[in-house]
Amino acid sequence: MFSLLQIMQVQEFVRDLDVKLVVVQSMNRFGLTQLVPAWVVDCFLCSFIGAKLHNVSLGCARARLKAGATIGVSLLSGLLSVVGGWTQSTVEKSSLQEVIATCLLMLYVATEAILIALVGATPPYHWDLQELSANQSHSNQSASKQRAFGEWLLTANGSEVHKHVHFSSSFTSIVSEWFLIGNTSYKVSAASSFYFSGVFVGAISFGQLSDRFGRKKVYLTGFALDILFAIANGFSPSYEFFAISRFLVGMMNGGMSLVAFVLLNECVGTAYWALAGSIGGLFFAVGIAQYALLGYFIRSWRTLAVVVNLEGTVVFLLSLFIPESPRWLYSQGRLNEAEDALYLIAKRNRKQKCTFSLKLPAERSSREAGSFLDLFRYKILLGRTLIMMFTWFVCSLVYYGLTLNVGDLGGSIYANLALSGLIEIPAYPICIYLINQK
């Protein structure tokens, strides 16, 4: 996920050009984050939006203070300069609660992102059509028999398919639930595309909403709806309902995880950005392995779709006690609330002996509205934006193309899925080390 690296790159953009934070605001406002496609169909969406420019610098700071004062790219640095007499180490660490919440959140986000890998897997099945040689198996029939069966599926109605096709009882999925085989097998991939289309919408809209209404409020609202829609997945009476609910889950999951990432990084200092930026990706990988383990023991897709939300509920309850972003409060001119949030962080870090008072800068200027075109208006910013778009397009295509299609690989689908997540883990300590190198 390399989020911190992207933060540093975005900051370099603005430093090189001496562009005000209005550029950063516009990037968050149009949600160029969390747009990770499922496969080829989703990569079309990915190419339109630019794949993924990460979210911390996109939303960590407003383009300007509410009073209209121009500030630097790192709002935390400006805040520390305003907070007289308070040691920087006080706010260089986030409280343990925020870190734990973020780790657990990414476990949950991972399960929803790759839910279709198991829920949409095709169980072994056989058919009992006499004209096609009775009791032929999906896993061992000849090519000619398979071709004949495929042709029969094209002409058979739903009742005939239900009568003559029999799935094994090893596990259930939406394929065995609604007989998504033959000419209807595309619906499995379509459900995945619906999810990432929702991520598309959520990433665009939640950035603007969090700028206007606050990080915590938008995060908690999106999280609650995410859990609600995800539970509805498990009770879907039809494929159409399932597809629509997957779209809604994607919208909430992509949007609220974007805001959660911003919220965490607005509570830590620059010295900890490498760790904070990589820890989410690390636990996302662990979440994939965790989901494979749950799927191994829970073979009913409906039960699995509901049970994974228990973890989300725990994280939601824990998130109720995290503070609002002090950076966002400061940018809105709500100084007393920003001070309270910072005191709470200091208290949780056992830095209680500190006294300070926040004040808005004396210099003020008119506010500038951000625009999507700001990303393409300046030569250096344009070049690096296009590079990031292409890079994340390719990464997303390969990453999710493999992860969401583990059912097509040989061997155990559960082992393949777990390994696809665990293989990522060694990369994150390396990323943290490299990012911290000057």
Side-chain angles (χ1 to χ4, degrees), residues 175-220:
V175 176
S176 59
E177 181 83 16
W178 296 303
F179 287 79
L180 304 181
I181 57 177
N183 59 342
T184 60
S185 60
Y186 74 91
K187 291 184 177 181
V188 178
S189 297
S192 183
S193 295
F194 276 118
Y195 172 85
F196 284 101
S197 298
V199 173
F200 179 100
V201 176
I204 293 176
S205 58
F206 273 61
Q208 301 178 74
L209 292 173
S210 66
D211 270 350
R212 181 173 181 180
F213 299 106
R215 314 296 191 218
K216 182 178 178 181
K217 185 180 297 184
V218 173
Y219 161 62
L220 291 177

Side-chain angles (χ1 to χ4, degrees), residues 114-127:
I114 63 164
L115 186 76
I116 202 70
L118 297 182
V119 168
T122 303
Y125 63 87
H126 65 275
W127 58 88

